[in-house]
Amino acid sequence: MLAEVIDRILDKGIVVDAWVRVSLVGIELLAIEARIVVASVETYLKYAEAVGLTQSAAMPA
């Protein structure tokens, strides 16, 4: 069961997007923004290439 879940996550990927703001009397004390992507390298490269993220990595500066 767990192996099937992990296999599915690595095959399709999962994105967790969280945003937290803590304020007191209108003064922002803490702001945290996190975006976590879990996928296999093959899945990541397929979608990264589609949105143009791999092009800059392929060309050295």
Side-chain angles (χ1 to χ4, degrees):
M1 176 70 172
L2 181 60
E4 291 175 11
V5 171
I6 291 172
D7 184 49
R8 176 115 174 135
I9 289 173
L10 289 178
D11 182 42
K12 300 295 181 185
I14 187 171
V15 175
V16 177
D17 196 3
W19 189 75
V20 177
R21 178 190 291 182
V22 177
S23 59
L24 180 66
V25 192
I27 300 172
E28 188 173 307
L29 301 175
L30 177 68
I32 299 173
E33 185 174 338
R35 182 165 288 153
I36 301 167
V37 178
V38 177
S40 68
V41 173
E42 181 181 345
T43 302
Y44 172 78
L45 289 175
K46 181 172 95 175
Y47 289 104
E49 184 177 14
V51 295
L53 292 176
T54 58
Q55 190 173 20
S56 62
M59 301 176 116

